[in-house]
Amino acid sequence: NAGVTQTPKFQVLKTGQSMTLQCAQDMNHNSMYWYRQDPGMGLRLIYYSASEGTTDKGEVPNGYNVSRLNKREFSLRLESAAPSQTSVYFCASRGPNTEAFFGQGTRLTVV
Amino acid sequence: AQKITQTQPGMFVQEKEAVTLDCTYDTSDPSYGLFWYKQPSSGEMIFLIYQGSYDQQNATEGRYSLNFQKARKSANLVISASQLGDSAMYFCAMRGRNNAGNMLTFGGGTRLMVKP
Protein backbone atom coordinates (compact mmCIF):
# COMPACT_ATOMS: atom_id res chain seq x y z
CA ASN A 1 0.00 0.00 0.00
CA ALA A 2 2.07 2.92 -1.35
CA GLY A 3 -0.32 5.80 -0.53
CA VAL A 4 1.35 9.05 -1.59
CA THR A 5 4.77 8.84 -3.22
CA GLN A 6 6.99 11.87 -3.69
CA THR A 7 10.22 12.07 -5.61
CA PRO A 8 12.96 13.02 -5.06
CA LYS A 9 13.49 12.85 -1.29
CA PHE A 10 16.43 15.25 -1.36
CA GLN A 11 17.58 17.81 -3.91
CA VAL A 12 20.19 20.55 -4.07
CA LEU A 13 19.78 23.21 -6.76
CA LYS A 14 21.77 26.21 -7.78
CA THR A 15 20.00 29.55 -7.94
CA GLY A 16 18.23 29.87 -11.27
CA GLN A 17 17.98 26.16 -11.98
CA SER A 18 14.63 24.53 -12.61
CA MET A 19 13.19 21.28 -11.35
CA THR A 20 9.95 19.36 -11.01
CA LEU A 21 8.81 17.59 -7.87
CA GLN A 22 6.70 14.55 -8.64
CA CYS A 23 3.78 13.26 -6.61
CA ALA A 24 1.55 10.26 -7.22
CA GLN A 25 -1.24 8.69 -5.16
CA ASP A 26 -2.92 5.33 -5.56
CA MET A 27 -6.04 5.95 -3.46
CA ASN A 28 -8.23 7.35 -6.24
CA HIS A 29 -8.48 10.70 -4.45
CA ASN A 30 -9.80 13.75 -6.23
CA SER A 31 -8.04 16.41 -4.14
CA MET A 32 -4.29 16.85 -4.13
CA TYR A 33 -2.12 19.48 -2.46
CA TRP A 34 1.40 20.88 -2.39
CA TYR A 35 2.74 22.47 0.81
CA ARG A 36 6.02 23.90 1.94
CA GLN A 37 7.29 23.75 5.50
CA ASP A 38 10.06 26.05 6.65
CA PRO A 39 12.05 25.19 9.81
CA GLY A 40 9.91 25.39 12.95
CA MET A 41 6.89 26.52 10.96
CA GLY A 42 3.57 25.14 9.87
CA LEU A 43 2.60 23.93 6.43
CA ARG A 44 1.76 26.63 3.92
CA LEU A 45 -0.38 25.74 0.94
CA ILE A 46 1.26 26.44 -2.41
CA TYR A 47 -1.28 25.02 -4.87
CA TYR A 48 -4.07 22.52 -4.76
CA SER A 49 -6.17 20.59 -7.21
CA ALA A 50 -9.78 19.70 -6.42
CA SER A 51 -10.03 17.31 -9.34
CA GLU A 52 -8.29 16.20 -12.50
CA GLY A 53 -7.89 19.15 -14.83
CA THR A 54 -8.27 21.88 -12.19
CA THR A 55 -5.67 23.69 -10.11
CA ASP A 56 -5.89 26.67 -7.76
CA LYS A 57 -3.48 28.91 -5.94
CA GLY A 58 -2.98 28.57 -2.23
CA GLU A 59 -1.31 30.96 0.20
CA VAL A 60 2.19 31.10 -1.35
CA PRO A 61 2.01 30.32 -5.10
CA ASN A 62 4.60 32.79 -6.38
CA GLY A 63 7.59 31.11 -8.03
CA TYR A 64 5.79 27.80 -8.55
CA ASN A 65 3.66 26.11 -11.18
CA VAL A 66 1.70 22.90 -10.99
CA SER A 67 0.25 20.31 -13.32
CA ARG A 68 -2.48 17.81 -12.55
CA LEU A 69 -1.42 15.33 -15.17
CA ASN A 70 -4.16 12.84 -14.38
CA LYS A 71 -6.07 11.76 -11.32
CA ARG A 72 -3.01 10.08 -9.82
CA GLU A 73 -0.29 12.64 -10.42
CA PHE A 74 0.23 16.23 -9.32
CA SER A 75 3.60 17.83 -10.04
CA LEU A 76 5.19 21.02 -8.71
CA ARG A 77 7.65 22.96 -10.84
CA LEU A 78 10.18 25.57 -9.85
CA GLU A 79 11.12 27.44 -13.02
CA SER A 80 13.98 29.49 -11.57
CA ALA A 81 14.91 28.39 -8.08
CA ALA A 82 15.76 30.97 -5.44
CA PRO A 83 17.34 30.52 -1.97
CA SER A 84 14.00 31.58 -0.44
CA GLN A 85 12.53 28.36 -1.84
CA THR A 86 14.77 26.25 0.38
CA SER A 87 12.23 24.23 2.34
CA VAL A 88 10.66 20.84 2.86
CA TYR A 89 7.88 20.19 0.37
CA PHE A 90 4.96 17.90 1.09
CA CYS A 91 2.43 16.50 -1.29
CA ALA A 92 -0.91 15.27 0.05
CA SER A 93 -4.12 13.78 -1.26
CA ARG A 94 -7.59 13.52 0.20
CA GLY A 95 -10.84 11.79 -0.61
CA PRO A 96 -14.29 13.30 0.03
CA ASN A 97 -14.68 11.75 3.46
CA THR A 98 -11.12 11.07 4.50
CA GLU A 99 -8.23 12.79 6.12
CA ALA A 100 -5.32 14.00 4.02
CA PHE A 101 -2.58 11.47 3.38
CA PHE A 102 0.93 12.85 3.06
CA GLY A 103 4.04 11.88 1.20
CA GLN A 104 7.35 11.61 3.02
CA GLY A 105 8.47 15.07 1.92
CA THR A 106 11.19 16.48 -0.32
CA ARG A 107 14.01 18.40 1.31
CA LEU A 108 15.08 21.05 -1.18
CA THR A 109 18.12 23.28 -0.75
CA VAL A 110 18.79 26.14 -3.15
CA VAL A 111 22.33 27.52 -3.00
CA ALA B 1 -10.71 33.12 3.39
CA GLN B 2 -10.19 30.49 6.06
CA LYS B 3 -7.64 30.80 8.82
CA ILE B 4 -6.30 28.52 11.55
CA THR B 5 -4.52 29.86 14.63
CA GLN B 6 -2.47 27.92 17.15
CA THR B 7 -1.36 30.31 19.87
CA GLN B 8 0.98 28.00 21.81
CA PRO B 9 4.37 27.72 20.07
CA GLY B 10 5.62 25.27 22.69
CA MET B 11 4.29 23.39 25.68
CA PHE B 12 5.65 21.09 28.37
CA VAL B 13 3.65 18.35 30.05
CA GLN B 14 4.60 15.82 32.68
CA GLU B 15 4.45 12.21 31.60
CA LYS B 16 1.08 10.58 32.40
CA GLU B 17 -0.70 13.93 32.71
CA ALA B 18 -3.28 15.33 30.28
CA VAL B 19 -2.57 18.28 28.01
CA THR B 20 -4.73 20.56 25.86
CA LEU B 21 -3.45 22.06 22.63
CA ASP B 22 -5.39 25.08 21.44
CA CYS B 23 -6.75 25.72 17.97
CA THR B 24 -9.08 28.46 16.80
CA TYR B 25 -10.37 28.90 13.30
CA ASP B 26 -12.18 31.37 11.13
CA THR B 27 -14.29 30.51 8.13
CA SER B 28 -17.46 31.64 6.43
CA ASP B 29 -18.20 28.14 5.13
CA PRO B 30 -21.17 26.50 6.85
CA SER B 31 -19.65 23.08 6.18
CA TYR B 32 -16.09 22.40 7.21
CA GLY B 33 -13.91 19.83 8.87
CA LEU B 34 -11.13 20.06 11.42
CA PHE B 35 -8.13 17.76 11.65
CA TRP B 36 -5.21 17.27 13.98
CA TYR B 37 -1.88 15.91 12.81
CA LYS B 38 1.27 14.91 14.65
CA GLN B 39 4.71 15.44 13.18
CA PRO B 40 7.52 13.69 15.07
CA SER B 41 11.14 14.65 14.59
CA SER B 42 11.37 12.14 11.73
CA GLY B 43 9.16 14.48 9.72
CA GLU B 44 6.19 12.42 8.60
CA MET B 45 2.65 13.71 9.05
CA ILE B 46 0.46 11.40 11.15
CA PHE B 47 -3.31 11.88 11.20
CA LEU B 48 -4.79 11.84 14.71
CA ILE B 49 -8.43 12.89 14.74
CA TYR B 50 -11.20 14.54 12.71
CA GLN B 51 -14.27 16.63 13.59
CA GLY B 52 -16.95 17.63 11.10
CA SER B 53 -18.77 20.91 11.58
CA TYR B 54 -22.13 19.14 11.77
CA ASP B 55 -21.01 16.37 14.10
CA GLN B 56 -23.07 16.44 17.25
CA GLN B 57 -20.51 14.80 19.49
CA ASN B 58 -16.87 15.56 20.11
CA ALA B 59 -14.54 13.19 18.30
CA THR B 60 -12.42 10.72 20.24
CA GLU B 61 -9.65 8.36 19.12
CA GLY B 62 -7.98 6.43 21.89
CA ARG B 63 -6.06 8.91 24.06
CA TYR B 64 -6.97 11.79 21.75
CA SER B 65 -10.15 13.79 22.01
CA LEU B 66 -11.26 16.97 20.34
CA ASN B 67 -12.98 19.65 22.40
CA PHE B 68 -15.13 21.23 19.68
CA GLN B 69 -16.83 24.50 20.61
CA LYS B 70 -18.51 25.69 17.44
CA ALA B 71 -19.80 29.01 18.75
CA ARG B 72 -16.31 29.93 19.93
CA LYS B 73 -14.74 28.52 16.74
CA SER B 74 -12.30 26.42 18.68
CA ALA B 75 -11.19 22.82 18.22
CA ASN B 76 -8.73 22.00 20.97
CA LEU B 77 -6.90 18.67 21.07
CA VAL B 78 -6.79 16.89 24.41
CA ILE B 79 -4.17 14.20 24.93
CA SER B 80 -4.76 12.09 28.02
CA ALA B 81 -2.06 10.19 29.91
CA SER B 82 0.85 11.73 27.99
CA GLN B 83 3.68 9.45 26.92
CA LEU B 84 7.26 10.28 26.02
CA GLY B 85 6.47 9.32 22.44
CA ASP B 86 3.92 12.14 22.28
CA SER B 87 6.76 14.67 22.06
CA ALA B 88 6.31 16.17 18.60
CA MET B 89 4.86 19.06 16.63
CA TYR B 90 1.08 19.13 16.48
CA PHE B 91 -0.85 20.83 13.72
CA CYS B 92 -4.49 21.78 13.49
CA ALA B 93 -5.96 21.95 9.99
CA MET B 94 -9.26 22.91 8.44
CA ARG B 95 -11.00 21.73 5.32
CA GLY B 96 -13.34 24.21 3.76
CA ARG B 97 -15.04 24.57 0.43
CA ASN B 98 -14.61 27.60 -1.73
CA ASN B 99 -15.82 28.15 -5.28
CA ALA B 100 -12.97 26.11 -6.66
CA GLY B 101 -12.99 23.14 -4.33
CA ASN B 102 -11.63 21.93 -1.06
CA MET B 103 -8.82 23.87 0.51
CA LEU B 104 -6.92 22.36 3.42
CA THR B 105 -5.25 24.99 5.60
CA PHE B 106 -2.86 24.40 8.50
CA GLY B 107 -2.05 26.35 11.63
CA GLY B 108 1.48 27.20 12.68
CA GLY B 109 1.79 24.26 15.04
CA THR B 110 2.54 23.61 18.71
CA ARG B 111 5.67 21.81 19.86
CA LEU B 112 4.80 19.48 22.71
CA MET B 113 7.53 18.20 24.99
CA VAL B 114 6.74 15.44 27.47
CA LYS B 115 8.91 15.38 30.57
CA PRO B 116 9.72 12.07 32.28
Side-chain angles (χ1 to χ4, degrees):
Chain A
N1 48 347
V4 179
T5 303
Q6 280 182 244
T7 55
K9 288 187 169 52
F10 301 93
Q11 184 72 49
V12 178
L13 289 178
K14 294 182 179 178
T15 298
Q17 286 185 319
S18 62
M19 79 161 294
T20 299
L21 281 65
Q22 306 286 352
C23 176
Q25 52 94 5
D26 61 4
M27 295 169 283
N28 204 36
H29 289 163
N30 282 324
S31 299
M32 296 186 74
Y33 308 85
W34 275 106
Y35 295 90
R36 62 176 288 173
Q37 184 179 27
D38 299 321
M41 306 276 287
L43 279 73
R44 291 187 292 169
L45 182 63
I46 305 171
Y47 272 93
Y48 68 105
S49 170
S51 62
E52 182 179 353
T54 68
T55 61
D56 285 280
K57 295 178 180 179
E59 306 163 77
V60 289
N62 291 345
Y64 305 95
N65 286 300
V66 291
S67 295
R68 184 73 182 268
L69 305 168
N70 47 55
K71 194 170 186 178
R72 289 187 66 247
E73 298 172 290
F74 188 39
S75 62
L76 178 72
R77 182 159 179 84
L78 287 71
E79 290 291 351
S80 179
S84 60
Q85 294 178 305
T86 293
S87 191
V88 178
Y89 291 84
F90 285 98
C91 177
S93 73
R94 196 178 68 81
N97 296 306
T98 73
E99 70 272 23
F101 293 82
F102 284 82
Q104 292 299 302
T106 296
R107 188 174 296 274
L108 175 67
T109 302
V110 183
V111 298
Chain B
Q2 54 191 49
K3 186 176 180 181
I4 291 276
T5 303
Q6 295 180 251
T7 58
Q8 306 153 311
M11 289 193 68
F12 285 95
V13 64
Q14 198 68 40
E15 191 178 10
K16 299 181 185 177
E17 292 186 348
V19 63
T20 297
L21 306 183
D22 294 341
C23 173
T24 58
Y25 60 91
D26 188 20
T27 181
S28 57
D29 293 329
S31 175
Y32 53 90
L34 296 151
F35 303 82
W36 277 91
Y37 283 83
K38 172 184 178 181
Q39 186 179 45
S41 57
S42 52
E44 71 267 34
M45 296 291 289
I46 301 169
F47 167 72
L48 296 178
I49 196 167
Y50 169 78
Q51 179 86 42
S53 59
Y54 293 121
D55 293 344
Q56 295 297 312
Q57 293 188 324
N58 287 345
T60 61
E61 289 286 348
R63 293 188 299 112
Y64 304 108
S65 60
L66 203 152
N67 184 2
F68 182 47
Q69 298 187 45
K70 195 171 183 177
R72 298 181 61 183
K73 293 189 175 180
S74 73
N76 299 337
L77 177 70
V78 180
I79 305 175
S80 63
S82 297
Q83 302 172 355
L84 296 178
D86 294 335
S87 293
M89 285 288 290
Y90 288 82
F91 294 101
C92 181
M94 179 170 64
R95 166 193 63 77
R97 180 180 291 278
N98 62 9
N99 289 336
N102 288 327
M103 290 187 70
L104 185 62
T105 307
F106 282 76
T110 296
R111 181 172 298 281
L112 177 66
M113 291 151 282
V114 181
K115 297 186 290 185

PDB file of all heavy atoms in Angstrom, chain A residues 13-37:
ATOM      1  N   LEU A  13      19.804  22.456  -5.515  1.00  0.00           N
ATOM      2  CA  LEU A  13      19.775  23.211  -6.758  1.00  0.00           C
ATOM      3  C   LEU A  13      20.635  24.450  -6.625  1.00  0.00           C
ATOM      4  O   LEU A  13      20.776  24.995  -5.521  1.00  0.00           O
ATOM      5  CB  LEU A  13      18.352  23.653  -7.100  1.00  0.00           C
ATOM      6  CG  LEU A  13      17.329  22.631  -7.547  1.00  0.00           C
ATOM      7  CD1 LEU A  13      15.989  23.323  -7.789  1.00  0.00           C
ATOM      8  CD2 LEU A  13      17.793  21.917  -8.801  1.00  0.00           C
ATOM      9  N   LYS A  14      21.129  24.899  -7.752  1.00  0.00           N
ATOM     10  CA  LYS A  14      21.770  26.210  -7.778  1.00  0.00           C
ATOM     11  C   LYS A  14      20.718  27.261  -8.127  1.00  0.00           C
ATOM     12  O   LYS A  14      19.727  26.962  -8.825  1.00  0.00           O
ATOM     13  CB  LYS A  14      22.885  26.228  -8.811  1.00  0.00           C
ATOM     14  CG  LYS A  14      24.059  25.315  -8.467  1.00  0.00           C
ATOM     15  CD  LYS A  14      25.143  25.428  -9.504  1.00  0.00           C
ATOM     16  CE  LYS A  14      26.327  24.532  -9.131  1.00  0.00           C
ATOM     17  NZ  LYS A  14      27.414  24.576 -10.146  1.00  0.00           N
ATOM     18  N   THR A  15      20.925  28.455  -7.636  1.00  0.00           N
ATOM     19  CA  THR A  15      20.001  29.550  -7.942  1.00  0.00           C
ATOM     20  C   THR A  15      19.821  29.670  -9.451  1.00  0.00           C
ATOM     21  O   THR A  15      20.801  29.669 -10.207  1.00  0.00           O
ATOM     22  CB  THR A  15      20.545  30.867  -7.365  1.00  0.00           C
ATOM     23  OG1 THR A  15      20.626  30.752  -5.930  1.00  0.00           O
ATOM     24  CG2 THR A  15      19.638  32.025  -7.719  1.00  0.00           C
ATOM     25  N   GLY A  16      18.550  29.734  -9.861  1.00  0.00           N
ATOM     26  CA  GLY A  16      18.235  29.866 -11.271  1.00  0.00           C
ATOM     27  C   GLY A  16      17.930  28.560 -11.979  1.00  0.00           C
ATOM     28  O   GLY A  16      17.355  28.575 -13.080  1.00  0.00           O
ATOM     29  N   GLN A  17      18.294  27.439 -11.370  1.00  0.00           N
ATOM     30  CA  GLN A  17      17.978  26.156 -11.983  1.00  0.00           C
ATOM     31  C   GLN A  17      16.499  25.847 -11.839  1.00  0.00           C
ATOM     32  O   GLN A  17      15.804  26.385 -10.971  1.00  0.00           O
ATOM     33  CB  GLN A  17      18.810  25.039 -11.343  1.00  0.00           C
ATOM     34  CG  GLN A  17      20.261  25.029 -11.757  1.00  0.00           C
ATOM     35  CD  GLN A  17      21.010  23.827 -11.202  1.00  0.00           C
ATOM     36  OE1 GLN A  17      20.823  23.431 -10.049  1.00  0.00           O
ATOM     37  NE2 GLN A  17      21.872  23.251 -12.024  1.00  0.00           N
ATOM     38  N   SER A  18      16.027  24.939 -12.675  1.00  0.00           N
ATOM     39  CA  SER A  18      14.629  24.528 -12.607  1.00  0.00           C
ATOM     40  C   SER A  18      14.553  23.057 -12.218  1.00  0.00           C
ATOM     41  O   SER A  18      15.514  22.309 -12.399  1.00  0.00           O
ATOM     42  CB  SER A  18      13.933  24.750 -13.944  1.00  0.00           C
ATOM     43  OG  SER A  18      14.539  23.960 -14.944  1.00  0.00           O
ATOM     44  N   MET A  19      13.413  22.689 -11.656  1.00  0.00           N
ATOM     45  CA  MET A  19      13.188  21.278 -11.352  1.00  0.00           C
ATOM     46  C   MET A  19      11.698  21.027 -11.127  1.00  0.00           C
ATOM     47  O   MET A  19      10.937  21.970 -10.866  1.00  0.00           O
ATOM     48  CB  MET A  19      13.963  20.824 -10.130  1.00  0.00           C
ATOM     49  CG  MET A  19      13.368  21.199  -8.804  1.00  0.00           C
ATOM     50  SD  MET A  19      14.000  20.196  -7.449  1.00  0.00           S
ATOM     51  CE  MET A  19      13.379  18.575  -7.856  1.00  0.00           C
ATOM     52  N   THR A  20      11.333  19.773 -11.243  1.00  0.00           N
ATOM     53  CA  THR A  20       9.954  19.359 -11.015  1.00  0.00           C
ATOM     54  C   THR A  20       9.918  18.325  -9.911  1.00  0.00           C
ATOM     55  O   THR A  20      10.663  17.341  -9.955  1.00  0.00           O
ATOM     56  CB  THR A  20       9.337  18.775 -12.295  1.00  0.00           C
ATOM     57  OG1 THR A  20       9.339  19.771 -13.313  1.00  0.00           O
ATOM     58  CG2 THR A  20       7.903  18.329 -12.033  1.00  0.00           C
ATOM     59  N   LEU A  21       9.062  18.561  -8.918  1.00  0.00           N
ATOM     60  CA  LEU A  21       8.807  17.591  -7.873  1.00  0.00           C
ATOM     61  C   LEU A  21       7.590  16.762  -8.302  1.00  0.00           C
ATOM     62  O   LEU A  21       6.561  17.310  -8.691  1.00  0.00           O
ATOM     63  CB  LEU A  21       8.512  18.272  -6.538  1.00  0.00           C
ATOM     64  CG  LEU A  21       9.694  18.788  -5.724  1.00  0.00           C
ATOM     65  CD1 LEU A  21      10.424  19.906  -6.445  1.00  0.00           C
ATOM     66  CD2 LEU A  21       9.229  19.268  -4.356  1.00  0.00           C
ATOM     67  N   GLN A  22       7.756  15.457  -8.197  1.00  0.00           N
ATOM     68  CA  GLN A  22       6.701  14.555  -8.639  1.00  0.00           C
ATOM     69  C   GLN A  22       5.926  14.017  -7.447  1.00  0.00           C
ATOM     70  O   GLN A  22       6.483  13.777  -6.376  1.00  0.00           O
ATOM     71  CB  GLN A  22       7.299  13.376  -9.415  1.00  0.00           C
ATOM     72  CG  GLN A  22       8.206  13.755 -10.574  1.00  0.00           C
ATOM     73  CD  GLN A  22       7.437  14.289 -11.770  1.00  0.00           C
ATOM     74  OE1 GLN A  22       6.216  14.259 -11.811  1.00  0.00           O
ATOM     75  NE2 GLN A  22       8.173  14.805 -12.752  1.00  0.00           N
ATOM     76  N   CYS A  23       4.637  13.825  -7.653  1.00  0.00           N
ATOM     77  CA  CYS A  23       3.783  13.256  -6.610  1.00  0.00           C
ATOM     78  C   CYS A  23       2.748  12.362  -7.261  1.00  0.00           C
ATOM     79  O   CYS A  23       2.119  12.766  -8.259  1.00  0.00           O
ATOM     80  CB  CYS A  23       3.100  14.362  -5.821  1.00  0.00           C
ATOM     81  SG  CYS A  23       1.940  13.766  -4.570  1.00  0.00           S
ATOM     82  N   ALA A  24       2.561  11.177  -6.704  1.00  0.00           N
ATOM     83  CA  ALA A  24       1.553  10.262  -7.216  1.00  0.00           C
ATOM     84  C   ALA A  24       0.850   9.591  -6.043  1.00  0.00           C
ATOM     85  O   ALA A  24       1.477   9.267  -5.033  1.00  0.00           O
ATOM     86  CB  ALA A  24       2.185   9.208  -8.111  1.00  0.00           C
ATOM     87  N   GLN A  25      -0.471   9.392  -6.193  1.00  0.00           N
ATOM     88  CA  GLN A  25      -1.244   8.691  -5.160  1.00  0.00           C
ATOM     89  C   GLN A  25      -2.044   7.572  -5.811  1.00  0.00           C
ATOM     90  O   GLN A  25      -2.477   7.686  -6.961  1.00  0.00           O
ATOM     91  CB  GLN A  25      -2.155   9.680  -4.402  1.00  0.00           C
ATOM     92  CG  GLN A  25      -3.037  10.536  -5.279  1.00  0.00           C
ATOM     93  CD  GLN A  25      -4.425  10.016  -5.522  1.00  0.00           C
ATOM     94  OE1 GLN A  25      -4.833   8.994  -4.949  1.00  0.00           O
ATOM     95  NE2 GLN A  25      -5.177  10.702  -6.369  1.00  0.00           N
ATOM     96  N   ASP A  26      -2.227   6.505  -5.031  1.00  0.00           N
ATOM     97  CA  ASP A  26      -2.918   5.328  -5.564  1.00  0.00           C
ATOM     98  C   ASP A  26      -4.221   5.059  -4.828  1.00  0.00           C
ATOM     99  O   ASP A  26      -4.691   3.913  -4.777  1.00  0.00           O
ATOM    100  CB  ASP A  26      -2.001   4.110  -5.510  1.00  0.00           C
ATOM    101  CG  ASP A  26      -1.564   3.760  -4.102  1.00  0.00           C
ATOM    102  OD1 ASP A  26      -2.031   4.422  -3.143  1.00  0.00           O
ATOM    103  OD2 ASP A  26      -0.759   2.829  -3.943  1.00  0.00           O
ATOM    104  N   MET A  27      -4.823   6.108  -4.240  1.00  0.00           N
ATOM    105  CA  MET A  27      -6.041   5.954  -3.459  1.00  0.00           C
ATOM    106  C   MET A  27      -7.280   6.492  -4.170  1.00  0.00           C
ATOM    107  O   MET A  27      -8.343   6.610  -3.569  1.00  0.00           O
ATOM    108  CB  MET A  27      -5.855   6.652  -2.107  1.00  0.00           C
ATOM    109  CG  MET A  27      -4.780   5.989  -1.257  1.00  0.00           C
ATOM    110  SD  MET A  27      -4.313   6.955   0.183  1.00  0.00           S
ATOM    111  CE  MET A  27      -3.267   8.202  -0.549  1.00  0.00           C
ATOM    112  N   ASN A  28      -7.120   6.850  -5.443  1.00  0.00           N
ATOM    113  CA  ASN A  28      -8.234   7.349  -6.241  1.00  0.00           C
ATOM    114  C   ASN A  28      -8.847   8.634  -5.663  1.00  0.00           C
ATOM    115  O   ASN A  28     -10.040   8.886  -5.793  1.00  0.00           O
ATOM    116  CB  ASN A  28      -9.327   6.280  -6.388  1.00  0.00           C
ATOM    117  CG  ASN A  28     -10.179   6.511  -7.623  1.00  0.00           C
ATOM    118  OD1 ASN A  28      -9.693   6.946  -8.661  1.00  0.00           O
ATOM    119  ND2 ASN A  28     -11.464   6.220  -7.519  1.00  0.00           N
ATOM    120  N   HIS A  29      -7.998   9.445  -5.034  1.00  0.00           N
ATOM    121  CA  HIS A  29      -8.477  10.697  -4.448  1.00  0.00           C
ATOM    122  C   HIS A  29      -8.625  11.778  -5.503  1.00  0.00           C
ATOM    123  O   HIS A  29      -7.813  11.887  -6.424  1.00  0.00           O
ATOM    124  CB  HIS A  29      -7.512  11.183  -3.371  1.00  0.00           C
ATOM    125  CG  HIS A  29      -7.530  10.351  -2.139  1.00  0.00           C
ATOM    126  ND1 HIS A  29      -6.518  10.397  -1.192  1.00  0.00           N
ATOM    127  CD2 HIS A  29      -8.450   9.481  -1.665  1.00  0.00           C
ATOM    128  CE1 HIS A  29      -6.819   9.572  -0.213  1.00  0.00           C
ATOM    129  NE2 HIS A  29      -7.989   9.012  -0.477  1.00  0.00           N
ATOM    130  N   ASN A  30      -9.634  12.613  -5.328  1.00  0.00           N
ATOM    131  CA  ASN A  30      -9.800  13.753  -6.226  1.00  0.00           C
ATOM    132  C   ASN A  30      -8.878  14.914  -5.863  1.00  0.00           C
ATOM    133  O   ASN A  30      -8.297  15.553  -6.721  1.00  0.00           O
ATOM    134  CB  ASN A  30     -11.249  14.259  -6.204  1.00  0.00           C
ATOM    135  CG  ASN A  30     -12.158  13.367  -7.034  1.00  0.00           C
ATOM    136  OD1 ASN A  30     -11.762  12.849  -8.069  1.00  0.00           O
ATOM    137  ND2 ASN A  30     -13.385  13.197  -6.575  1.00  0.00           N
ATOM    138  N   SER A  31      -8.777  15.218  -4.574  1.00  0.00           N
ATOM    139  CA  SER A  31      -8.043  16.414  -4.142  1.00  0.00           C
ATOM    140  C   SER A  31      -6.580  16.104  -3.881  1.00  0.00           C
ATOM    141  O   SER A  31      -6.248  15.123  -3.217  1.00  0.00           O
ATOM    142  CB  SER A  31      -8.676  16.988  -2.865  1.00  0.00           C
ATOM    143  OG  SER A  31     -10.012  17.375  -3.099  1.00  0.00           O
ATOM    144  N   MET A  32      -5.717  16.969  -4.386  1.00  0.00           N
ATOM    145  CA  MET A  32      -4.287  16.854  -4.132  1.00  0.00           C
ATOM    146  C   MET A  32      -3.731  18.231  -3.803  1.00  0.00           C
ATOM    147  O   MET A  32      -4.271  19.255  -4.236  1.00  0.00           O
ATOM    148  CB  MET A  32      -3.553  16.230  -5.319  1.00  0.00           C
ATOM    149  CG  MET A  32      -3.987  14.795  -5.600  1.00  0.00           C
ATOM    150  SD  MET A  32      -3.034  13.969  -6.871  1.00  0.00           S
ATOM    151  CE  MET A  32      -1.474  13.646  -5.997  1.00  0.00           C
ATOM    152  N   TYR A  33      -2.645  18.238  -3.023  1.00  0.00           N
ATOM    153  CA  TYR A  33      -2.118  19.484  -2.465  1.00  0.00           C
ATOM    154  C   TYR A  33      -0.593  19.475  -2.504  1.00  0.00           C
ATOM    155  O   TYR A  33       0.033  18.424  -2.360  1.00  0.00           O
ATOM    156  CB  TYR A  33      -2.550  19.629  -0.994  1.00  0.00           C
ATOM    157  CG  TYR A  33      -4.026  19.473  -0.748  1.00  0.00           C
ATOM    158  CD1 TYR A  33      -4.593  18.213  -0.578  1.00  0.00           C
ATOM    159  CD2 TYR A  33      -4.855  20.581  -0.670  1.00  0.00           C
ATOM    160  CE1 TYR A  33      -5.947  18.066  -0.338  1.00  0.00           C
ATOM    161  CE2 TYR A  33      -6.209  20.451  -0.421  1.00  0.00           C
ATOM    162  CZ  TYR A  33      -6.750  19.183  -0.266  1.00  0.00           C
ATOM    163  OH  TYR A  33      -8.104  19.055  -0.024  1.00  0.00           O
ATOM    164  N   TRP A  34      -0.022  20.673  -2.615  1.00  0.00           N
ATOM    165  CA  TRP A  34       1.402  20.882  -2.387  1.00  0.00           C
ATOM    166  C   TRP A  34       1.574  21.932  -1.288  1.00  0.00           C
ATOM    167  O   TRP A  34       0.980  23.009  -1.345  1.00  0.00           O
ATOM    168  CB  TRP A  34       2.111  21.371  -3.652  1.00  0.00           C
ATOM    169  CG  TRP A  34       2.526  20.267  -4.567  1.00  0.00           C
ATOM    170  CD1 TRP A  34       1.968  19.913  -5.753  1.00  0.00           C
ATOM    171  CD2 TRP A  34       3.622  19.368  -4.363  1.00  0.00           C
ATOM    172  NE1 TRP A  34       2.635  18.850  -6.296  1.00  0.00           N
ATOM    173  CE2 TRP A  34       3.660  18.493  -5.459  1.00  0.00           C
ATOM    174  CE3 TRP A  34       4.583  19.216  -3.363  1.00  0.00           C
ATOM    175  CZ2 TRP A  34       4.614  17.488  -5.594  1.00  0.00           C
ATOM    176  CZ3 TRP A  34       5.538  18.219  -3.486  1.00  0.00           C
ATOM    177  CH2 TRP A  34       5.541  17.368  -4.595  1.00  0.00           C
ATOM    178  N   TYR A  35       2.416  21.574  -0.298  1.00  0.00           N
ATOM    179  CA  TYR A  35       2.737  22.473   0.807  1.00  0.00           C
ATOM    180  C   TYR A  35       4.250  22.648   0.888  1.00  0.00           C
ATOM    181  O   TYR A  35       5.015  21.785   0.476  1.00  0.00           O
ATOM    182  CB  TYR A  35       2.282  21.884   2.151  1.00  0.00           C
ATOM    183  CG  TYR A  35       0.798  21.730   2.301  1.00  0.00           C
ATOM    184  CD1 TYR A  35       0.155  20.556   1.912  1.00  0.00           C
ATOM    185  CD2 TYR A  35       0.029  22.749   2.850  1.00  0.00           C
ATOM    186  CE1 TYR A  35      -1.215  20.411   2.064  1.00  0.00           C
ATOM    187  CE2 TYR A  35      -1.350  22.612   3.000  1.00  0.00           C
ATOM    188  CZ  TYR A  35      -1.945  21.436   2.603  1.00  0.00           C
ATOM    189  OH  TYR A  35      -3.302  21.304   2.752  1.00  0.00           O
ATOM    190  N   ARG A  36       4.641  23.740   1.524  1.00  0.00           N
ATOM    191  CA  ARG A  36       6.017  23.904   1.941  1.00  0.00           C
ATOM    192  C   ARG A  36       6.059  24.121   3.447  1.00  0.00           C
ATOM    193  O   ARG A  36       5.136  24.713   4.027  1.00  0.00           O
ATOM    194  CB  ARG A  36       6.705  25.049   1.218  1.00  0.00           C
ATOM    195  CG  ARG A  36       6.135  26.416   1.423  1.00  0.00           C
ATOM    196  CD  ARG A  36       6.982  27.489   0.732  1.00  0.00           C
ATOM    197  NE  ARG A  36       8.266  27.715   1.404  1.00  0.00           N
ATOM    198  CZ  ARG A  36       9.234  28.502   0.930  1.00  0.00           C
ATOM    199  NH1 ARG A  36       9.069  29.137  -0.218  1.00  0.00           N
ATOM    200  NH2 ARG A  36      10.354  28.650   1.596  1.00  0.00           N
ATOM    201  N   GLN A  37       7.113  23.593   4.052  1.00  0.00           N
ATOM    202  CA  GLN A  37       7.288  23.754   5.499  1.00  0.00           C
ATOM    203  C   GLN A  37       8.692  24.252   5.762  1.00  0.00           C
ATOM    204  O   GLN A  37       9.683  23.552   5.520  1.00  0.00           O
ATOM    205  CB  GLN A  37       7.057  22.423   6.236  1.00  0.00           C
ATOM    206  CG  GLN A  37       7.131  22.590   7.749  1.00  0.00           C
ATOM    207  CD  GLN A  37       6.889  21.302   8.497  1.00  0.00           C
ATOM    208  OE1 GLN A  37       7.136  20.210   7.990  1.00  0.00           O
ATOM    209  NE2 GLN A  37       6.361  21.400   9.708  1.00  0.00           N
TER     210      GLN A  37
END
